[in-house]
Every structure is written in C-alpha cells, then in structure tokens.
Amino acid sequence: MTMAPNKLNSSVNENGSCSPSENGFARSFSLFPAEADHELLQSSIQESDGHLIEFSEALRTVAKALRRAAEGKASAQAEAAEWKRKYELERARNLKLDHKVQSCRVNQGDLDGLKLDSPAKKLVFCDEADELSERCCSRHGICSHEVLRDGNPDSDSKMLRKASFKLSWCSKGEQSDQHKHDIVSFERGNITTAERSSKQISLKWESCPQTVLILTKPNSVSVQMLCAEMTRWLREQKKLNIYVEPRVRKELLNVSSYYSFVETWKDDKEISLLHTKVDLVITLGGDGTVLWAASMFKGPVPPVVPFSLGSLGFMTPFHSEHYREYLESILKGPISITLRHRLICHVVRDAAKSEYETEDPILVLNEVTIDRGISSYLTNLECYCDNSFVTCVQGDGLILSTTSGSTAYSLAAGGSMVHPQVPGILFTPICPHSLSFRPLILPEYVTLRVQIPFNSRSPAWASFDGKDRKQLAPGDALVCSMALWPVPTACQVDSTNDFLRSIHEGLHWNLRKTQSFDGPRDL
C-alpha cells in the first residue's frame, strides 16, 4: 500500500520538517533549531567559567586577608616580646642596684656618730653617685666613663676596653661638638641609627682605640705581605690589639712566630661578640672585602677603614702605599664618615603560619636580586609597598638596592647613580617586558614585599649581595626593609668628594674629548 502524494506533502514539508498539523512534537522541535542549541550551550559554558573566575578571585582575596591577619598577629607578638625583654632587663638592673645599696648600707645610728668625711659616709655617697651615673647613661646613651667588658664583669677574665666616640654634624670649615641625642643614638659605643643631614658626618674619638680587626682578600700574595707589615706596625708603633680571621692568623704564623700575639675567633658565637671588642675594622681588598666585613656583623658595626687593593672600588678610598699616614690621622681623629645603610630581608614561605617560622634574616649592603634563574619563562612578581600594591613585574627580575649599591647591579640594569647618604631604596626592574617600566627610588622607611603568585609558571630565585641564593616557590614572599644598624666607612676627604672621585676614576663618568675651539662661532 502506498501513500498518496497529497498526504505525503501534508505530512512533510519541503525542508524536511514535520508538518505542525500532523505532529505536536514536531511543532515544538521546530522552535529550537541546531544553531540555537549551540548558542545556548556556549552561553552556559561561558557563564560557568565566569563564575569559576569570580570564585577563584574571591578565594585569593580571602587568602590575602588571612595572610595579613597572620602577619599582624606575628608583628604584635614580636613587639610584645621586645617590650617584655626590655622590662626584664630593667627589672634585673633595678634589683641589682637595690642589692648593691642594701649590702653597703650602714646603720643609721652609726652614721649619726660619724663625721661627714668618714669612710662609711664616703662609701654611701659613692654608691649613690654610681647609681645616678648608671641611670644617666641608660637614659641618654653613651657616656665617656662607660667601659665594655668581655664576659662577666665579676669574673677574673681579661678585661677589654672599647673606645667611645660621638658623631656630630659638620659642614665645610666648621664642626659642631654638640652631642645630639635626638639625632644619633648610642649604646655603649655602637652606632644604632642616624637621620640624614645636608652636612657631613664627623666621628670624634672620646678615648683612644685599642683593638683593630684586619680583614683581607684571600689568595693574594701582595695582600698577605701588606697585612703582615701593617700588623707589625700597629703592634709596635700604636700598641694595639689585633684581631684577624683564622685563615689569616695561620698565614701570619707560617711567616714568623712573632705574630703569636694576633688574636682570632673559633666559632660563630665569638663572631657575634666582635662588635663589643673591636674599635676599628681595616679591610685590605676591594668592594667585595667591604661587603664581607659588613656581613660578619649582624648588629652594630664598628667604623670601617677600606683600603683599595681590588680592580674596581666605589667604597675603598684609601690607597695602601700611604697606610701609615692614613691610619695616623684616623686613630687621632676626627674623621669624616659615610653611614651606609643596609637592607634586612626575610623569606616568608607559603606554609609559614607566622614570621617566627621563617628563615634567619639576611643583611645586604648592596642589593637583593629576584630573578628567573635557569627558567625560560618571564618572572611574575607581585610587589607591595607598605601593603599598597605597586606593580606586577614581568621580565627577567627585580633589584631592590641600597643607595650604596646604586653603582653595582642596579646601575647595570638601568638604575641611576645615587649618593650613598641619600635616604632611599632603589626599585629597579631587570629587562622588563614593558617599555614604560622605569626605575623608582622609594623612601627608606617603607617595607617592600615581593610575592610569587600561585599562577606563576616557574619559581624565582633570590640572591643577597651576589650570594646565599634561595629559591622562591609560588606562594613564597620576600620582605625587605631598612636595617637598624648602618655600616660606617671612613672617608679620605668627605663623603661627597669620595663618591664623585669614585665614579670619575672607576666608571670614567662623562669622560670625552673637549670640543675643538677652532670651529664655527656665533657672531
């Protein structure tokens, strides 16, 4: 049986769809063609992707808020611990003073029968004077009668006196002897911090230096000979105590047993106490030797006298041929110094719950560098300044430099040369993937945080003054701020004169032939 042609045409139209009069399902099906189904599916997928992106950004915001809360808690705990430590020290000192007064107290009835000039009353008055003197020192800083002792003051060990000094602002042709406690803080002869000034900084000894630390560049015969000669001269002519590294002491003893008077240290604990014994540091080498000297002192740094025995020196103004004249003048004083500030860096791992779980802080005198290492991908670094977002660095890396390090890696990466006493932190990108990314100079009181985002293609690497290289995985961060303890380096003339001479002699800055005078002239 065959269907009539008219019935077939009534059931199926020309484009192949079912007739609306014969099939209700076909009527509804014809309302959603294949193109509409595809568009509906694509819109639903895009909408779900948008929700996922919003959700991931919300999670990221929550993670940042939790991290900031943890950092705030850690900072509060650290501040509380510091106040507790100060309270315990003050309490111990007061107990010691009370015990001293009680042990020397004389019966009041016996005092009434004594004359004013009797030994008992003199003892009481001397104790009260000592107590007032000690309180004065703790309130205002260093006084000239204070003496540092090696170890327990009550023991019979060898006592080492540490020379005291004071800093003052001075300009050309004049010096100020006023001791400004509100500008320069002291703690038993150690420089803690100082504000910058438009004038030069002068160091004046209040007592003669007695102990000198000599640090040398290794693997140099000429440096070894100079070290031996300088050590003998300082001992015989100036009667100074000499400290050297264990390696240098072994080299001196191989030359002659005469150098048995030279002292050294055995472990890191003794190194941490060097600033309590050493009055002056002498470096024989280049800028690398000065960096090594600064890295040995995690806290206060004695004045450094850098002698130039390297290939290129921006921090070594003294020439070794005339070391006797230079040291004579420096030991006599006063001298001009440059306070070179350092950066203190903390590596905060992603898994860290507080700042106490981070690695030991690292001090740098030149710069800290975050780069891509051996990876072929660009670095992706999120930078914050005092919790304010600065930028996202995409390139080969980033340099956070002190002004002393402005003539080092930062200069090679396109940063500006800055006088070492200009207060600031240099923010210099390394080959950025943007033509508008120019270097910055930020104020010295800010705290910089460089974060490796979780979506980074590869980890980054951080190096500190060219060494101590550390890997930074996604989620890790590097926090940098200005350290409390500067590195005071002696000047041959003054800070500005030495800086300008170093860039002229070391970099041949703006050195060119003078334009000929016999060319065309304006009439």
Side-chain angles (χ1 to χ4, degrees):
M1 180 179 178
T2 59
M3 184 178 292
N6 56 351
K7 291 184 178 181
L8 179 62
N9 294 333
S10 62
S11 299
V12 181
N13 57 19
E14 294 179 356
N15 59 6
S17 62
C18 295
S19 174
S21 61
E22 297 292 335
N23 196 329
F25 174 76
R27 179 182 300 176
S28 63
F29 180 76
S30 65
L31 296 176
F32 297 93
E35 294 80 0
D37 292 341
H38 182 71
E39 292 178 358
L40 179 62
L41 182 62
Q42 287 295 110
S43 62
S44 62
I45 292 175
Q46 292 176 0
E47 184 178 359
S48 62
D49 289 344
H51 289 318
L52 288 176
I53 293 175
E54 291 179 0
F55 181 70
S56 63
E57 291 179 352
L59 287 180
R60 190 172 180 179
T61 303
V62 172
K64 289 182 179 180
L66 292 176
R67 184 181 296 278
R68 290 177 182 176
E71 292 174 357
K73 179 180 178 182
S75 177
Q77 290 176 348
E79 186 176 359
E82 181 65 18
W83 279 108
K84 182 179 179 181
R85 185 186 68 84
K86 292 181 179 180
Y87 169 75
E88 295 293 342
L89 291 175
E90 184 69 17
R91 183 171 176 270
R93 190 180 67 85
N94 292 335
L95 289 176
K96 183 178 179 181
L97 289 176
D98 293 341
H99 177 71
K100 183 178 180 181
V101 172
Q102 290 178 3
S103 62
C104 298
R105 183 174 295 169
V106 182
N107 193 328
Q108 186 67 30
D110 296 337
L111 286 175
D112 294 337
L114 293 174
K115 296 182 179 180
L116 184 61
D117 56 349
S118 63
K121 283 196 173 182
K122 286 184 178 180
L123 178 61
V124 175
F125 295 151
C126 289
D127 288 340
E128 292 177 354
D130 292 341
E131 181 181 357
L132 290 175
S133 176
E134 185 170 356
R135 288 180 179 175
C136 172
C137 295
S138 63
R139 183 184 304 112
H140 298 294
I142 184 172
C143 294
S144 59
H145 60 268
E146 279 192 328
V147 175
L148 281 182
R149 297 179 173 85
D150 181 18
N152 188 358
D154 298 330
S155 63
D156 295 333
S157 62
K158 180 182 177 181
M159 299 298 178
L160 291 178
R161 291 180 176 270
K162 184 172 168 58
S164 58
F165 55 84
K166 67 178 181 180
L167 301 183
S168 57
W169 308 122
C170 64
S171 58
K172 294 182 179 179
E174 61 177 352
Q175 294 182 358
S176 173
D177 293 330
Q178 183 180 1
H179 192 162
K180 299 184 177 180
H181 297 285
D182 57 335
I183 293 181
V184 182
S185 302
F186 297 90
E187 184 180 350
R188 291 182 167 84
N190 301 320
I191 302 174
T192 57
T193 186
E195 294 180 356
R196 300 305 204 278
S197 173
S198 59
K199 300 179 180 179
Q200 302 290 341
I201 303 176
S202 175
L203 183 148
K204 181 179 180 180
W205 300 105
E206 292 184 339
S207 59
C208 296
Q210 299 186 15
T211 305
V212 174
L213 169 64
I214 301 178
L215 299 176
T216 65
K217 179 178 67 174
N219 305 323
S220 174
V221 177
S222 59
V223 171
Q224 294 177 9
M225 296 175 60
L226 177 62
C227 178
E229 180 184 347
M230 184 180 294
T231 301
R232 181 186 293 270
W233 181 79
L234 290 174
R235 183 66 174 185
E236 294 179 351
Q237 301 297 326
K238 300 301 176 182
K239 311 301 180 183
L240 295 176
N241 302 314
I242 310 296
Y243 271 86
V244 296
E245 299 174 83
R247 167 186 59 84
V248 178
R249 187 176 190 274
K250 186 181 298 185
E251 294 173 354
L252 291 175
L253 289 178
N254 290 336
V255 174
S256 173
S257 59
Y258 166 80
Y259 297 100
S260 58
F261 62 86
V262 175
E263 302 180 64
T264 186
W265 54 85
K266 297 180 181 178
D267 50 29
D268 294 340
K269 184 178 181 181
E270 294 187 14
I271 294 178
S272 63
L273 298 176
L274 274 179
H275 70 279
T276 65
K277 307 174 184 178
V278 174
D279 300 316
L280 201 65
V281 179
I282 298 175
T283 63
L284 305 178
D287 287 349
T289 310
V290 179
L291 295 177
W292 167 245
S295 66
M296 290 182 58
F297 296 90
K298 308 304 180 183
V301 185
V304 180
V305 183
F307 284 90
S308 177
L309 290 164
S311 57
L312 183 65
F314 293 95
M315 295 184 286
T316 54
F318 297 98
H319 300 288
S320 59
E321 303 86 38
H322 309 287
Y323 75 88
R324 292 183 177 87
E325 293 83 351
Y326 290 139
L327 292 179
E328 284 274 6
S329 175
I330 290 170
L331 293 173
K332 181 181 179 181
I335 58 174
S336 294
I337 66 169
T338 301
L339 289 182
R340 302 181 182 272
H341 276 235
R342 298 183 286 179
L343 291 176
I344 182 168
C345 306
H346 299 267
V347 176
V348 183
R349 299 297 179 184
D350 179 47
K353 297 180 181 179
S354 67
E355 298 291 341
Y356 296 106
E357 296 183 11
T358 61
E359 292 136 5
D360 294 336
I362 303 175
L363 291 168
V364 295
L365 181 57
N366 268 356
E367 76 279 313
V368 53
T369 304
I370 306 101
D371 57 67
R372 64 181 182 176
I374 61 174
S375 174
S376 60
Y377 298 110
L378 298 178
T379 56
N380 189 10
L381 309 174
E382 294 179 350
C383 303
Y384 299 86
C385 178
D386 286 342
N387 297 325
S388 298
F389 179 74
V390 178
T391 188
C392 184
V393 177
Q394 295 183 83
D396 284 353
L398 176 68
I399 301 171
L400 302 178
S401 171
T402 65
T403 50
S404 293
S406 66
T407 51
Y409 195 178
S410 176
L411 179 63
S416 178
M417 291 185 293
V418 186
H419 191 285
Q421 287 193 179
V422 173
I425 302 175
L426 278 66
F427 187 92
T428 308
I430 306 174
C431 297
H433 203 249
S434 170
L435 295 179
S436 62
F437 195 171
R438 310 309 301 163
L440 294 176
I441 300 178
L442 300 170
E444 64 175 344
Y445 57 79
V446 302
T447 298
L448 297 174
R449 182 185 184 92
V450 181
Q451 180 88 31
I452 313 300
F454 290 100
N455 61 352
S456 178
R457 290 186 174 186
S458 63
W461 293 84
S463 58
F464 308 88
D465 277 342
K467 57 182 183 297
D468 298 331
R469 198 162 173 82
K470 294 180 180 293
Q471 184 178 5
L472 301 177
D476 296 344
L478 181 70
V479 180
C480 297
S481 59
M482 194 67 73
L484 178 65
W485 309 101
V487 178
T489 57
C491 302
Q492 182 179 351
V493 181
D494 56 52
S495 180
T496 301
N497 185 285
D498 289 2
F499 172 71
L500 294 176
R501 187 177 68 250
S502 68
I503 64 175
H504 280 293
E505 296 179 357
L507 297 176
H508 304 292
W509 180 61
N510 197 28
L511 181 63
R512 57 153 296 183
K513 292 183 178 179
T514 305
Q515 189 175 18
S516 176
F517 67 90
D518 57 356
R521 301 180 183 180
D522 293 335
L523 298 179

